[in-house]
Amino acid sequence: MRKLAGAAALTLVLAAAGGACAAEKVDLLVRKATVVDVETGRLLPDRLVAVRDGTVVAVDADRRAKRFDAARVVDGKGKFVIPGLWDMHVHFGGGEALIEENKDLLPLYVANGVTTVRDCAGDLSDSVLAWRAAVASGELLGPTIFTSGPKLEGINSIWPGDLEVGSEAEVRAGLDKLQAMHVDFVKITDNTLKPELFLYALGEAKARGLKTSAHVPLSLTIDQIEAAGLGSIEHVDYALKAASPQDAEISAEYAAGKLTYTQARDRLVESFDPATAEVGFRKLAEHGVAITPTLNGGRVIAYLDQEDHARDPYLRYLGPGLKATYAWRIERAAKDDAAAIAARHRRAEQDASLLPLLHKAGVMLMAGTDAGFLNSYNYPGVGLHDELKLFVDAGLTPLQTLQAATLAGPKFLGQTDRYGAVAPGKAADLVILDRDPLKDISATRAIDGVVLHGEYLDRAALDGLMQTAADKVAAAEAKAAVK
């Protein structure tokens, strides 16, 4: 038995030695690049990145490149490789007539280095779920999609496409439906949803092991929301509730109808207290509540009085139907008087000022744009780079900002085994940059190439995606003009 075992061992050794001489076949080999470790901020120069079957199989010193036989080799000298960017708050919607225009947004994300998006509800859930499957199977070019499906709301919500619930039984039925759709998380908003049902929905979702994302009702305190198990707050202005010593009082008065929505929000802004914020934000972190700030969308609307977006070059990539949905917010903003405009500016600046405080307290910030239909001039794809600039302008470092766009999303969705690093075993969703993003966050715009699900798209291919989008829009607008 020992001889057989020894012979078998020798055979394995010889086989391994023979295998070491044969080059390992891979689909893609990026050579001589600097890999950015977004966890630690270390730069790893002169590295190779080997990809096979949509997965990174090796990150090594470039001098070991001979061990690989690559179908395609990319010269990464002078380039920086980061994990694909995640936009953790996007929307697809506008009605069935805009399904194709929404679908045409997917390549825009890819062309801007966004390899994953989190859809936070709209009125095209069936289509989004179909796109999610088609992207995963390789039938459709686009970013990986995580989606909430239709969001939970109250009866007669103003938002189309919602799952409207008016009782605990209906909440349970709604969650049953969402689970049957295999959604990735549950989105809850409070346009007409009763406060007690909001809390019940959070608790029921948590009991089922579902991640939740929400707007925070003014009628509930931040302590109630935390205790109920909310996963993420969408839009940073809701964090003001955790920074106001009057949160309970304001919530009670709003719930009793003594304050309008605008009055309650103004009271939260006026009662902001740094010491309360420090304690409140630390409690958010302790409860594991993440925040997607979505600064860019709010800033665009806040400064419409100063900035004319009517001739933005990026409009050429958006279908006429989607652009038409922008009118709603633009028309609302146009009705504001001087006092309301000044208040918009103050809110935008205050929202941005919260980011360093939240980060210091340990709250996980997730980069997301709120881009899609309705949200005027907040553009799918390039909007994430606008958002990242605002993070840095607010006081975060480029590394902290990059972490919000590469690490936070996978952590929130429980996907860190597959995403969030340029490392063996991780998904081959990569962005190759011309410049160091740790020195200047605007380097995320300087994209030389994108590796999407293992497929390499060079600069010419990315430009081609953008041109195809522009050509489709031009054709649609020409057709509409003839009518």
Side-chain angles (χ1 to χ4, degrees):
M1 292 294 292
R2 289 195 183 94
K3 287 184 179 180
L4 286 173
L10 180 60
T11 299
L12 290 173
V13 169
L14 291 174
C21 296
E24 182 180 347
K25 291 187 179 297
V26 293
D27 302 320
L28 174 68
L29 188 66
V30 181
R31 295 196 56 190
K32 300 181 180 179
T34 295
V35 171
V36 181
D37 184 335
V38 294
E39 183 78 52
T40 65
R42 292 177 59 215
L43 295 177
L44 309 174
D46 203 31
R47 289 299 197 270
L48 63 81
V49 181
V51 172
R52 183 174 57 243
D53 296 332
T55 298
V56 175
V57 294
V59 177
D60 206 344
D62 188 73
R63 65 178 181 274
R64 298 193 178 94
K66 290 183 179 179
R67 61 180 275 217
F68 297 102
D69 176 12
R72 184 167 188 177
V73 178
V74 173
D75 182 5
K77 188 174 182 180
K79 311 297 182 184
F80 296 80
V81 182
I82 63 171
L85 301 170
W86 288 44
D87 188 333
M88 287 294 285
H89 194 120
V90 309
H91 292 286
F92 300 101
E96 291 188 4
L98 299 187
I99 288 175
E100 286 305 310
E101 287 191 18
N102 277 269
K103 186 178 180 181
D104 289 341
L105 298 178
L106 299 178
L108 298 183
Y109 285 108
V110 174
N112 284 280
V114 180
T115 58
T116 303
V117 298
R118 183 179 65 141
D119 165 54
C120 290
D123 57 355
L124 298 178
S125 293
D126 289 343
S127 294
V128 175
L129 288 163
W131 300 338
R132 181 182 68 174
V135 168
S137 68
E139 298 172 23
L140 177 64
L141 188 147
T144 296
I145 298 172
F146 293 93
T147 181
S148 66
K151 61 182 173 12
L152 289 183
E153 251 294 357
I155 304 301
N156 296 324
S157 162
I158 65 168
W159 306 112
D162 290 343
L163 277 179
E164 296 185 356
V165 295
S167 67
E168 292 185 357
E170 289 179 352
V171 168
R172 293 192 298 272
L175 290 173
D176 288 343
K177 181 174 182 178
L178 292 174
Q179 287 186 291
M181 297 167 75
H182 302 290
V183 299
D184 301 296
F185 66 104
V186 175
K187 175 80 176 289
I188 311 172
T189 57
D190 67 321
N191 175 240
T192 60
L193 186 62
K194 298 175 184 176
E196 61 272 20
L197 287 182
F198 188 98
L199 293 175
Y200 180 79
L202 286 178
E204 183 66 17
K206 183 178 180 180
R208 298 180 184 214
L210 298 170
K211 284 278 187 181
T212 52
S213 158
H215 295 180
V216 178
L218 285 176
S219 54
L220 296 171
T221 68
I222 200 70
D223 288 341
Q224 290 174 296
I225 295 295
E226 291 169 344
L230 177 61
S232 73
I233 294 172
E234 303 306 312
H235 318 302
V236 73
D237 54 343
Y238 290 112
L240 284 170
K241 292 179 69 64
S244 170
Q246 299 178 24
D247 182 28
E249 178 185 335
I250 294 169
S251 297
E253 291 185 20
Y254 179 75
K258 296 178 180 179
L259 295 174
T260 67
Y261 185 87
T262 299
Q263 289 171 336
R265 295 303 294 268
D266 288 347
R267 283 270 300 275
L268 288 172
V269 170
E270 294 162 1
S271 61
F272 172 82
D273 174 63
T276 303
E278 183 177 353
V279 174
F281 293 168
R282 193 161 56 242
K283 286 178 65 178
L284 284 173
E286 290 168 355
H287 281 87
V289 182
I291 294 181
T292 316
T294 65
L295 293 179
N296 192 53
R299 188 200 173 281
V300 168
I301 297 299
Y303 287 94
L304 280 177
D305 59 302
Q306 296 180 9
E307 300 169 356
D308 182 6
H309 294 275
R311 291 181 174 81
D312 281 359
Y314 209 83
L315 288 169
R316 67 194 288 253
Y317 304 116
L318 304 182
L322 282 171
K323 282 184 286 206
T325 70
Y326 284 2
W328 182 59
R329 293 194 189 278
I330 296 169
E331 291 168 359
R332 287 174 64 196
K335 296 175 183 177
D336 286 344
D337 59 18
I341 290 171
R344 288 194 330 231
H345 294 177
R346 286 195 301 273
R347 285 196 298 270
E349 298 306 317
Q350 185 177 44
D351 287 350
S353 73
L354 299 179
L355 264 64
L357 302 177
L358 289 161
H359 187 274
K360 182 180 179 181
V363 175
M364 185 168 71
L365 299 175
M366 303 190 295
T369 59
D370 209 10
F373 75 115
L374 290 180
N375 294 326
S376 314
Y377 309 122
N378 190 8
Y379 300 121
V382 73
L384 185 65
H385 302 286
D386 297 333
E387 185 78 13
L388 300 186
K389 180 182 183 300
L390 292 176
F391 272 42
V392 172
D393 289 347
L396 269 62
T397 68
L399 175 60
Q400 292 164 352
T401 299
L402 196 59
Q403 289 170 339
T406 58
L407 287 176
K411 286 181 180 178
F412 177 79
L413 290 167
Q415 299 288 326
T416 53
D417 61 330
R418 186 67 177 155
Y419 299 97
V422 183
K426 302 292 187 181
D429 286 346
L430 312 170
V431 184
I432 302 172
L433 304 173
D434 289 327
R435 296 186 283 114
D436 181 359
L438 301 185
K439 287 184 178 179
D440 180 359
I441 198 62
S442 70
T444 60
R445 301 175 188 264
I447 299 172
D448 183 67
V450 171
V451 181
L452 180 72
H453 314 142
E455 297 294 324
Y456 177 64
L457 300 169
D458 61 15
R459 187 63 258 171
L462 300 177
D463 290 341
L465 294 178
M466 299 298 290
Q467 187 59 53
T468 297
D471 291 344
K472 282 187 176 182
V473 172
E477 291 180 335
K479 184 177 180 180
V482 171
K483 292 181 179 180

